[in-house]
């Protein structure tokens, strides 16, 4: 079964609610008609597998697992699959093959084959390779190194599992013992006190498997590449030991160029385990002053753009080591594939957007373009730090009112702090009810006895012993207070940056650039932005699409608008947006003085709209007032 059909089955299986054809089309980046074709084909092969309900499509979990675990059809069916097959065959089995033999292998005519040439040539051009057809011969010419880069990309894109397991790698290279490579790599890393995460390990194993496969077939890189990355003695020793193990295990020989390439793969994906030896003072000796300066610039930009402080030393060191490895990978043109790209974009839109902004700074400072896979790795680093800060910021200030009985008040305060430290910030302990008089109305009063007066502040009654029920009661009250505060702040921010002039329902058939041009023109006419705003929006869009399913939130890298605004455009006709089709576009323009508003608006806005049912409700809004009410009603 084709990869897209597997993805459709997986999408229906994973959702808690039914998905309609439009939602499935957006998830897969195909048309609604194509979704219907997939559904019909699946049901023809597995009768009754997918059923249609008034709210969307459902699938039997048992049949879904059978479909997903079934052996894939080895004959490529789509244009993309045929292109991948042909290029894979050219790289794996020689640089030249007979045109008609290739056509017979995949059951297509020579006319159909020639219709694929344009697509294949676009793929090969990205890797500085040339695809030619002369008489009956199809040839692929270029360096061995670039052929391996293309092969790596093809394997990632044709694998529905995106190489997230050893089994998937073993299936791609049946003649190579992947577990043996894994054992060699991990034993050498352990011996040399290096660490590698699971995703980087699988990526490294893929590159090593490709190298072994090519060397076994007599395809050495041959060409000498400039050794631009200087390695220390520990890194050279690490590479030398692994190369020795691999040469012995697989009866191959690494040339000096091959050895240097493998060493680059290692040091750009693994890190020394001894983080304790790296400090802010000696960090430059490990990664160089230029890299430290770049990381300081990145962290400063996050502070200026999002009002987020990432200067904590432990985070700074780990993040700096990651950026150092990223730059090594970029200089070697060996960027790391990330199987979590789609998931991170969908579930952590703010963190992903921060990462895109940082990739723009890296490009500006170094000239290096960072792809979406590497952007997602940056997001993984940022995620932990940002979530910790969010948890601290969401702690509710609280006081304890507990009439003194021996030391019960201080003992209870200690227990509350110990069990609920992540939820509340206990600022005071009172033994007299009248002391509550001067407390702010946004402070939670935790009481062990009923109050005699009605106070203008949130209160919760607990026992003097802090039971599990008491902790749950306090947690519920804290969530209630946080939600009320978020709604109040969200409404205040929305009403300050949005107006009826910035809400529009359109029925024009526009494409992505047409909508951006229309919206940027209106923002400029209303005095929100300058004439270069549209160019900056397109520049941000070129790095990574701002579409999330059926909606998009275009904005710029930098906050330099005259005024802060939120412009909503609801389209009755789907708008092609990269690989998606969107019906809702929310364009953001921000003045530097309102940077905190971006942080407070972007995440809740995107999280509301990521839910398909809520998005459907948003698209039914016809006025500014309805849209504001919709957002406030669905804020969680």
């Amino acid at each position: 079964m084709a990869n897209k059909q597997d993805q459709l089955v997986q999408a229906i299986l994973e959702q808690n609610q039914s998905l309609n054809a439009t939602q499935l089309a957006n998830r897969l980046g195909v048309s609604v008609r194509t979704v219907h074709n997939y559904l019909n084909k699946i049901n023809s092969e597995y009768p009754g597998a997918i059923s249609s309900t008034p709210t969307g499509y459902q699938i039997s979990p048992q049949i879904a697992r059978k479909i997903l675990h079934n052996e894939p059809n080895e004959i490529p069916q789509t244009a993309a699959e045929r292109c991948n097959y042909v290029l894979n065959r050219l790289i794996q089995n020689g640089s030249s093959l007979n045109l008609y033999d290739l056509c017979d292998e995949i059951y297509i005519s020579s006319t159909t084959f020639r219709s694929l040439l344009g697509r294949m040539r676009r793929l090969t051009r990205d890797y500085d390779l040339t695809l030619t057809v002369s008489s009956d011969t199809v040839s692929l010419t270029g360096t061995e190194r670039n052929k391996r880069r293309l092969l790596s990309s093809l394997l990632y894109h044709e694998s529905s599992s995106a190489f997230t397991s050893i089994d998937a790698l073993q299936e791609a290279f049946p003649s190579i013992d992947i577990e043996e490579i894994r054992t060699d790599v991990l034993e050498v890393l352990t011996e040399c006190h290096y660490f590698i995460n699971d995703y980087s390990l699988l990526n490294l194993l893929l590159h090593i498997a490709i190298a072994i496969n090519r060397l076994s077939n007599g395809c050495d890189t041959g060409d000498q590449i400039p050794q631009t990355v200087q390695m220390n003695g520990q890194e050279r020793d690490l590479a030398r030991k692994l190369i020795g193990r691999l040469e012995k295990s697989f009866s191959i020989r690494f040339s000096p160029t091959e050895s240097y390439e493998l060493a680059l793969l290692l040091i750009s994906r693994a890190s020394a385990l001894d983080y304790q030896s790296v400090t802010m003072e000696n960090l430059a000796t490990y990664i160089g002053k230029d890299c430290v300066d770049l990381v300081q610039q990145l962290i400063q930009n996050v502070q200026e753009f999002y009002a987020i402080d990432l200067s904590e030393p432990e985070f700074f060191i780990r993040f700096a080591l990651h950026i150092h490895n990223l730059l090594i990978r970029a200089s070697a043109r060996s960027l790391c594939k990330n199987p979590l790209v789609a998931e991170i974009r969908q579930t952590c839109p703010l963190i992903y957007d921060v990462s895109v902004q940082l990739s723009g700074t890296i490009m500006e400072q170094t000239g290096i373009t960072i792809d979406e896979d590497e952007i997602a790795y940056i997001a993984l680093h940022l995620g932990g730090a940002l979530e910790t800060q969010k948890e601290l910021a969401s702690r509710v200030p609280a006081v304890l009112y507990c009439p003194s009985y021996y030391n019960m008040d201080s003992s209870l305060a200690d227990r509350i702090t110990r069990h609920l430290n992540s939820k509340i910030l206990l600022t005071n302990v009172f033994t007299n009810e009248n002391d509550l008089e001067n407390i702010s109305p946004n402070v939670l009063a935790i009481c062990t006895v009923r109050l005699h007066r009605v106070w203008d502040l949130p209160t919760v009654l607990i026992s003097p012993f802090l039971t599990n029920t008491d902790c749950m009661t306090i947690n519920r009250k804290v969530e209630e207070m946080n939600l009320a505060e978020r709604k109040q702040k969200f409404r205040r921010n929305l009403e300050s940056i949005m107006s009826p002039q910035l809400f529009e329902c359109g029925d024009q058939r526009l494409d992505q650039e047409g909508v951006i041009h229309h919206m940027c023109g209106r923002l400029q006419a209303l005095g929100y932005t300058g004439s270069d705003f549209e160019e900056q929006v397109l520049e941000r869009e070129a790095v990574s699409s701002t579409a999330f399913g059926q909606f998009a939130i275009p904005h710029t890298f930098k906050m330099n608008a005259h005024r802060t605004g939120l412009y909503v455009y609801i389209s009755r006709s789907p708008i092609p947006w990269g690989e998606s089709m969107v019906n809702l576009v929310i364009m953001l323009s921000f003045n530097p003085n309102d940077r905190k508003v971006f942080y407070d608006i972007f995440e809740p806005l995107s999280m509301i709209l990521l839910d398909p049912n809520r998005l459907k409700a948003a698209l039914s809004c016809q006025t500014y007032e309805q849209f504001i009410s919709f957002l406030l009603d669905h804020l969680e």
Side-chain angles (χ1 to χ4, degrees):
M1 178 176 291
N3 186 26
K4 285 287 186 183
Q5 291 172 221
D6 282 351
Q7 291 177 28
L8 182 141
V9 170
Q10 193 74 46
I12 300 175
L13 182 64
E14 288 176 352
Q15 289 299 308
N16 294 324
Q17 69 277 334
S18 302
L19 294 176
N20 61 36
T22 301
Q23 291 163 345
L24 286 168
N26 285 319
R27 284 284 296 269
L28 272 62
V30 299
S31 67
V32 171
R33 181 179 178 181
T34 300
V35 166
H36 287 142
N37 289 338
Y38 288 162
L39 292 168
N40 291 335
K41 186 170 183 181
I42 291 168
N43 278 334
S44 69
E45 294 181 29
Y46 300 88
I50 299 175
S51 59
S52 176
T53 72
T55 57
Y57 293 98
Q58 295 178 341
I59 190 167
S60 160
Q62 292 79 13
I63 298 179
R65 283 191 285 272
K66 182 180 178 181
I67 294 171
L68 293 172
H69 293 143
N70 199 11
E71 285 299 313
N73 182 358
E74 294 185 359
I75 305 301
Q77 303 295 313
T78 67
E81 290 172 352
R82 288 165 178 161
C83 289
N84 284 4
Y85 180 92
V86 170
L87 293 175
N88 198 328
R89 283 278 282 115
L90 283 167
I91 297 171
Q92 295 271 32
N93 299 89
S95 297
S96 297
L97 292 171
N98 181 272
L99 168 63
Y100 296 102
D101 288 344
L102 271 174
C103 292
D104 288 344
E105 287 178 28
I106 54 180
Y107 298 95
I108 62 172
S109 67
S110 59
T111 302
T112 301
F113 181 91
R114 292 182 187 279
S115 71
L116 300 173
L117 284 174
R119 184 170 188 154
M120 287 191 285
R121 283 173 174 149
R122 283 193 295 275
L123 284 170
T124 57
R125 274 200 300 268
D126 290 340
Y127 296 89
D128 297 325
L129 298 169
T130 303
L131 181 70
T132 58
V133 178
S134 178
S135 298
D136 299 343
T137 303
V138 184
S139 301
L140 182 67
T141 55
T143 66
E144 170 64 20
R145 186 164 181 262
N146 286 338
K147 289 177 183 178
R148 293 187 190 184
R149 290 175 55 232
L150 174 58
L151 179 59
S152 170
S153 177
L154 294 174
L155 290 170
Y156 261 100
H157 284 96
E158 74 179 20
S159 170
S160 59
S161 60
F163 293 126
T164 53
S165 71
I166 295 292
D167 291 341
L169 276 174
Q170 189 61 74
E171 185 179 332
F173 297 94
S175 63
I176 298 173
D177 189 342
I178 301 297
E179 189 58 47
E180 176 68 21
I181 302 176
R182 180 178 180 274
T183 299
D184 287 343
V185 169
L186 291 180
E187 287 183 358
V188 170
L189 289 174
T190 301
E191 182 183 340
C192 295
H193 306 291
Y194 271 72
F195 168 80
I196 190 168
N197 66 55
D198 288 343
Y199 298 119
S200 294
L201 174 60
L202 286 166
N203 187 269
L204 177 62
L205 295 181
L206 170 63
H207 284 281
I208 293 175
I210 291 173
I212 292 173
N213 175 267
R214 302 295 288 160
L215 288 172
S216 299
N217 288 293
C219 300
D220 191 297
T221 53
D223 52 328
Q224 293 294 318
I225 59 172
Q227 300 194 12
T228 55
V229 178
Q230 298 300 313
M231 301 179 198
N232 59 38
Q234 186 181 13
E235 291 167 342
R236 286 194 296 270
D237 186 50
L238 172 70
R240 188 165 51 248
K241 286 182 177 179
L242 179 57
I243 287 166
R245 291 282 294 266
L246 293 173
E247 287 182 334
K248 183 177 179 181
S249 297
F250 296 94
S251 302
I252 53 175
R253 187 72 180 171
F254 283 83
S255 68
T257 299
E258 297 275 1
S259 299
Y260 175 71
E261 291 255 303
L262 181 56
L264 276 181
L265 286 171
L266 269 174
I267 67 172
S268 65
R269 285 158 174 77
S271 302
L273 276 174
D274 189 12
Y275 284 107
Q276 301 302 317
S277 64
V278 185
T279 65
M280 293 293 289
E281 288 71 31
N282 67 12
L283 181 60
T285 63
Y286 287 85
I287 65 175
K289 183 177 182 303
D290 288 345
C291 188
V292 172
D293 291 344
L294 173 61
V295 174
Q296 287 174 336
Q297 180 66 54
L298 295 177
I299 287 177
Q300 181 182 333
N301 285 6
V302 173
Q303 174 68 46
E304 292 176 354
F305 197 95
Y306 299 94
I308 298 171
D309 183 6
L310 294 173
S311 60
E312 193 272 326
E314 183 178 351
F315 171 80
F316 189 103
I317 290 170
R318 290 179 182 272
F319 186 56
L321 292 172
H322 173 76
I323 294 299
H324 175 247
N325 284 10
L326 186 158
L327 295 176
I328 292 174
R329 290 195 293 273
S331 66
R333 300 179 71 186
S334 178
L335 295 174
C336 217
K337 295 292 182 181
N338 190 327
L340 300 178
V341 174
E343 184 177 345
I344 291 171
R345 287 188 79 252
Q346 291 292 324
T347 59
C348 311
L350 176 63
I351 292 172
Y352 186 81
D353 194 76
V354 175
S355 305
V356 173
Q357 202 272 347
L358 294 186
S359 75
T361 301
I362 293 172
M363 181 169 62
E364 190 178 89
Q365 297 291 321
T366 67
I368 293 172
T369 300
I370 307 300
D371 65 11
E372 289 194 334
D373 294 286
E374 291 287 0
I375 289 172
Y377 278 117
I378 293 175
L380 287 174
H381 276 265
L382 296 181
L386 296 185
E387 288 304 310
T388 299
Q389 289 193 22
K390 281 173 61 179
E391 286 179 9
L392 292 174
S394 66
R395 286 199 301 173
V396 167
V399 295
L400 172 64
Y401 167 50
C402 176
S404 183
Y405 182 78
Y406 294 103
N407 67 338
M408 182 179 290
D409 52 348
S410 60
S411 174
L412 179 57
D414 287 342
R415 291 202 301 279
I416 290 173
T417 299
R418 192 164 59 250
H419 288 90
L420 296 160
N421 186 52
S422 64
K423 297 291 184 179
I424 65 171
L425 179 63
L426 196 62
T427 60
N428 218 327
V429 179
F430 297 132
T431 58
N432 188 323
E433 182 176 339
N434 291 331
D435 291 334
L436 298 175
E437 189 167 0
N438 297 319
I439 299 301
S440 168
N442 66 340
V443 174
L444 173 63
I446 303 172
C447 309
T448 58
V449 296
R450 294 189 181 280
L451 299 172
H452 294 93
R453 294 170 54 187
V454 177
W455 298 90
D456 185 22
L457 73 167
T459 61
V460 62
L461 182 65
I462 66 168
S463 72
F465 311 107
L466 193 67
T467 64
N468 286 338
T469 300
D470 293 328
C471 289
M472 292 171 63
T473 301
I474 294 172
N475 277 329
R476 281 196 299 270
K477 192 65 177 181
V478 167
E479 289 302 317
E480 178 187 313
M481 291 176 65
N482 276 330
L483 179 58
E485 169 65 20
R486 286 199 300 273
K487 282 195 172 184
Q488 185 180 28
K489 181 188 291 185
F490 195 48
R491 175 187 285 276
R492 189 168 59 245
N493 286 332
L494 279 175
E495 292 178 343
S496 70
I497 67 175
M498 191 179 173
S499 68
Q501 289 179 303
L502 295 180
F503 180 88
E504 182 179 0
C505 292
D507 53 9
Q508 309 173 61
R509 290 190 174 274
L510 298 173
D511 59 12
Q512 178 181 348
E513 289 195 5
V515 172
I516 289 175
H517 179 71
H518 169 75
M519 298 180 77
C520 288
R522 183 162 178 78
L523 284 172
Q524 184 182 347
L526 292 171
Y528 281 84
T529 64
S531 58
D532 59 345
F533 184 72
E534 180 175 346
E535 181 183 344
Q536 293 179 37
V537 169
L538 293 172
E539 179 187 350
R540 164 62 182 82
E541 205 69 42
V543 174
S544 181
S545 172
T546 58
F548 301 89
Q550 262 183 284
F551 72 96
I553 309 183
H555 56 282
T556 60
F557 274 126
K558 297 180 180 178
M559 294 185 179
N560 51 13
H562 303 324
R563 294 169 58 193
T564 297
L566 186 152
Y567 181 3
V568 174
Y569 183 90
I570 296 176
S571 175
R572 304 305 174 205
S573 304
I575 303 164
W577 200 286
E579 296 183 357
S580 302
M581 300 290 285
V582 307
N583 288 86
L584 171 63
V585 182
I586 301 176
M587 184 169 285
L588 302 175
S589 69
F590 276 90
N591 181 275
N593 297 325
D594 296 321
R595 58 176 60 91
K596 185 67 172 67
V597 178
F598 183 95
Y599 184 85
D600 293 333
I601 283 285
F602 187 92
E603 184 172 42
L605 185 65
S606 53
M607 295 308 293
I608 290 169
L609 297 172
L610 280 170
D611 182 285
N613 292 327
R614 290 175 182 167
L615 180 59
K616 185 177 180 180
L619 296 177
S620 68
C621 294
Q622 296 183 356
T623 66
Y624 160 80
E625 290 78 14
Q626 287 178 357
F627 191 76
I628 293 287
S629 296
F630 156 77
L631 291 176
L632 293 172
D633 289 345
H634 292 90
L635 182 67
E636 294 181 348

